[in-house]
Amino acid sequence: MRVQVKTFGALTDILEKEFYTTAADTEELLTVLSSQHTALSHRKLLIAVNNTIINKPVVLQENDVVALMPPYSGG
């Protein structure tokens, strides 16, 4: 499926801020991006699909929006 990917924080130093790509699910998306950008393979990420943070792989639908974010902490 063709999805829109948005990145935030320090991830914008590795990936474009916003781009389109194809992937069947979030696990495939991360595998492909990590193979293309080795700096991603060692980072912990928060992933949101259509504004909902996920904790396990999700099957992607055409035109879903996937947000990749560094972990956040509050204070």
Side-chain angles (χ1 to χ4, degrees):
M1 296 293 136
R2 184 170 189 257
V3 296
Q4 181 181 16
V5 178
K6 295 182 177 186
T7 63
F8 296 89
L11 297 176
T12 60
D13 294 336
I14 300 168
L15 299 167
E16 295 178 48
K17 187 169 176 121
E18 191 173 313
F19 60 95
Y20 288 87
T21 191
T22 57
D25 57 35
T26 53
E27 188 171 30
E28 178 185 351
L29 175 65
L30 290 179
T31 299
V32 169
L33 292 177
S34 292
S35 70
Q36 294 172 349
H37 306 277
T38 55
L40 275 182
S41 61
H42 303 293
R43 289 187 174 260
K44 293 187 185 261
L45 301 174
L46 286 176
I47 304 167
V49 177
N50 299 324
N51 297 320
T52 302
I53 293 176
I54 61 167
N55 295 316
K56 58 185 177 180
V58 170
V59 174
L60 297 170
Q61 303 298 317
E62 190 74 21
N63 297 317
D64 275 351
V65 177
V66 179
L68 303 177
M69 303 163 278
Y72 55 86
S73 60

